[in-house]
Amino acid sequence: MRHYPVFLDLKGRRVVLAGGGETALAKLRLLTKTEARIEVFAADPVPALQALADEGRIHLHRRGFAAGDAAGAALAYAAADDEAEDRRVAALARADGALVNVVDDLNASDFITPAIVDRDPVVVAIGTEGAAPVLARRIKAELEERLPASLGLLARAGRAFRRAAEALPHGRPRRDFWSDWYDRAGPKALEEGGTAALAPALERTLDDHRHARPRAGHVAFVGAGPGDPDLLTLKARKALDVADVVIHDRLVTPAILELARREAVMIDVGKEGFGASAAQDDIDALIVEHARKGAQVVRLKGGDPTIFGRLDEEIDACDAAGIEWSVVPGITAASAAVAQIGQSLTRRTRNSSVRLLTGHDMKGFAEHDWKALAPPGEVAAIYMGKRAARLVQGRLMMHGADPATPVTVVENASRPDSRTIATTLGRMEPTISDAGLTGPALVLIGLAPRHAAYALDGQDVRIELKEEAAL
Ligand code: SAH
């Protein structure tokens, strides 16, 4: 981030602008909305500039910009539309100590003005550091559509009421009041009675909230999916939007944690797959402790919370404490992994069932019905299977599985650093150990990447995500 976003208080400050044409006018459109003292230097201004001066919205000096003109100014704009003149003005203004913007010249500017969506006092600024003005315009258009024009009115009424709202306790009760105002009570009052209805509606809403029973805590067990934030459900997004506390595993990626409400307390309980059972008790206690205080707790788990997620222990802890809970499903690693290799988990005439196995359980290597998995066509997705690979290989071959059975390992499924390794049961080890996997990895027994199947007679195929299409 080369440009640091700030909102500058221009009330009573001097802002100088050199230029008398359309470019100058365009810059003044936003500047004249501020409470700055705006001084424009132009020897030969267009009539619209003179009109602004006549209305008292700018101070017009009918001469060129000179040394000292930017003394004490907060900002200076070089808007003459003439490179040499703009450069001269920029040098003079900078010498006077002002921050300079040269219109349409990012590199010559100390600051740039973002695209904005104006619902004063709500102002959304969009910047792309000059990299993608088209994108900025598109985002602006989307926001213009999404944010109702009445937002500014509601916010202005709200601003005048902030003191009164302090009657509610700080934190959740006050936030709930404001959410209720902006989401429901405010728009409704405006629609039914116009601006005159806003002040009484604020009083009424405050009164309702002062007499409301304190909100009970709640725990949402939310599936964060395999890592790609686009694979979150809308419900997961909503839960993150309102969370007071987010308790998450190591599997949850930073890009997803970024989506939590900014004020949310983030707690990393750092369990990946299997952890010590004492830690589980601590996690249970932590969840209960926060929910008891009335917090909206999001217990965020990688993939789907109901798959190898120790969900039941945590639900039991909530039940024992009388805390309400809900489960928001997520996309499990097996779904993400097969999507990536273009295969189905089940397929007519090949396999009518699929097994989700864990390579490890609390006692170590997890035993399964290997005999049932040995016949051709059977499909299994092994979670936490990296360390168990040799034992899985041995057990399956012992029960007569064909060494040529395809095996695919997908590391970091759905993430930019994902790797796919296609091998066979016979070569599964040492292939998996040799691969030096560092991220979470899923071992798919009985499935080869769709476009690499032919290569399985030869060597193992390592498919980097981006090359997959080329294979
Ligand atoms: N609840 C999770 C699984 C938790 S167990 C889910 O539904 O996906 C942890 C194991 O899941 C890891 O050891 C790994 O085998 C698998 N896993 C989780 N995320 C993964 C990913 N992005 N890519 C590959 N495997 C993943």
Side-chain angles (χ1 to χ4, degrees):
M1 202 191 284
R2 178 172 152 198
H3 291 88
Y4 183 62
V6 292
F7 285 93
L8 192 63
D9 183 1
L10 285 180
K11 188 179 170 129
R13 301 288 303 270
R14 271 183 83 221
V15 172
V16 297
L17 183 144
E22 290 303 321
T23 307
L25 267 177
K27 283 289 147 190
L28 286 168
R29 258 198 294 280
L30 184 58
L31 277 171
T32 50
K33 289 186 179 179
T34 71
E35 295 173 41
R37 176 185 162 85
I38 300 164
E39 297 190 29
V40 177
F41 297 83
D44 185 17
V46 291
L49 268 178
Q50 186 59 55
L52 280 177
D54 294 344
E55 289 165 23
R57 297 172 66 192
I58 62 169
H59 302 267
L60 184 58
H61 303 269
R62 286 182 155 269
R63 62 170 173 83
F65 189 87
D69 281 342
L75 304 175
Y77 283 85
D81 239 352
D82 173 321
E83 210 180 311
E85 169 64 1
D86 280 348
R87 213 173 305 140
R88 184 187 74 86
V89 169
L92 289 176
R94 209 167 272 134
D96 285 340
L99 286 172
V100 177
N101 175 274
V102 179
V103 176
D104 286 338
D105 190 343
L106 181 83
N107 287 319
S109 298
D110 301 319
F111 71 94
I112 48 181
T113 323
I116 67 155
V117 179
D118 184 6
R119 300 286 184 275
D120 184 45
V122 179
V123 176
V124 184
I126 305 149
T128 66
E129 310 223 309
V134 173
L135 197 59
R137 273 198 293 278
R138 180 151 10 120
I139 296 170
K140 176 176 153 70
E142 273 175 30
L143 289 174
E144 289 285 6
E145 251 172 56
R146 185 146 5 132
L147 300 178
S150 58
L151 201 67
L153 287 174
L154 296 182
R156 250 169 284 160
R159 179 163 60 191
F161 202 70
R162 288 192 79 79
R163 257 282 157 69
E166 283 170 17
L168 289 166
H170 184 69
R172 165 66 61 183
R174 218 180 284 170
R175 274 204 310 275
D176 282 350
F177 162 73
W178 287 117
S179 301
D180 192 19
W181 172 247
Y182 287 111
D183 297 343
R184 186 194 62 84
K188 185 163 169 270
L190 203 56
E191 196 186 314
E192 287 169 4
T195 38
L198 291 179
L202 272 163
E203 295 284 358
R204 254 194 333 271
T205 311
L206 179 65
D207 208 47
D208 290 349
H209 281 252
R210 286 180 72 173
H211 297 104
R213 274 198 304 140
R215 189 152 129 181
H218 179 269
V219 180
F221 296 98
V222 176
D228 177 354
D230 281 355
L231 292 179
L232 277 173
T233 61
L234 287 176
K235 214 163 190 176
R237 290 288 307 251
K238 284 185 193 156
L240 285 170
D241 272 347
V242 300
D244 298 310
V245 180
V246 176
I247 301 175
H248 63 91
D249 292 349
R250 215 170 349 138
L251 272 176
V252 180
T253 52
I256 287 173
L257 297 176
E258 282 278 318
L259 299 171
R261 195 165 66 85
R262 199 141 62 109
E263 297 80 16
V265 178
M266 309 296 287
I267 304 174
D268 179 0
V269 289
K271 266 192 342 145
E272 189 175 341
F274 50 100
S277 51
Q280 185 59 52
D281 290 345
D282 291 344
I283 295 169
D284 297 349
L286 198 66
I287 294 171
V288 167
E289 180 195 321
H290 284 285
R292 270 213 178 111
K293 287 190 208 148
Q296 304 300 299
V297 178
V298 166
R299 173 71 175 107
L300 197 57
K301 292 170 178 284
D304 182 86
T306 71
I307 295 174
F308 306 127
R310 300 205 167 190
L311 176 63
D312 299 72
E313 283 103 311
E314 295 175 12
I315 287 180
D316 288 346
C318 288
D319 279 342
I323 288 161
E324 293 213 3
W325 52 269
S326 59
V327 179
V328 179
I331 292 181
T332 190
S335 299
V338 291
Q340 203 163 303
I341 63 168
Q343 291 289 13
S344 296
L345 282 170
T346 62
R347 178 172 166 179
R348 217 148 49 121
T349 73
R350 184 191 63 201
N351 64 314
S352 53
S353 70
V354 58
R355 283 169 201 240
L356 307 183
L357 310 179
T358 168
H360 269 83
D361 60 18
M362 282 164 77
K363 294 192 283 296
F365 176 65
E367 285 298 352
H368 297 282
D369 184 357
W370 302 110
K371 192 163 170 236
L373 274 174
E378 291 298 325
V379 172
I382 306 182
Y383 290 70
M384 297 171 276
K386 277 189 279 188
R387 272 183 272 171
R390 189 171 295 285
L391 288 158
V392 171
Q393 182 182 34
R395 295 285 199 281
L396 283 171
M397 305 250 279
M398 196 171 82
H399 285 96
D402 184 349
T405 303
V407 170
T408 305
V409 184
V410 182
E411 183 190 26
N412 291 318
S414 87
R415 305 181 191 178
D417 52 354
S418 178
R419 280 200 300 168
T420 303
I421 299 161
T423 180
T424 58
L425 185 61
R427 286 198 306 269
M428 182 173 163
E429 276 298 355
T431 302
I432 292 183
S433 298
D434 290 349
L437 302 168
T438 51
L442 196 84
V443 180
L444 295 164
I445 307 281
L447 290 177
R450 182 175 289 271
H451 299 297
Y454 70 91
L456 288 171
D457 296 338
Q459 290 193 323
D460 294 331
V461 187
R462 290 199 178 192
I463 305 164
E464 302 299 331
L465 188 58
K466 289 173 215 68
E467 291 166 21
E468 200 176 334
L471 262 158

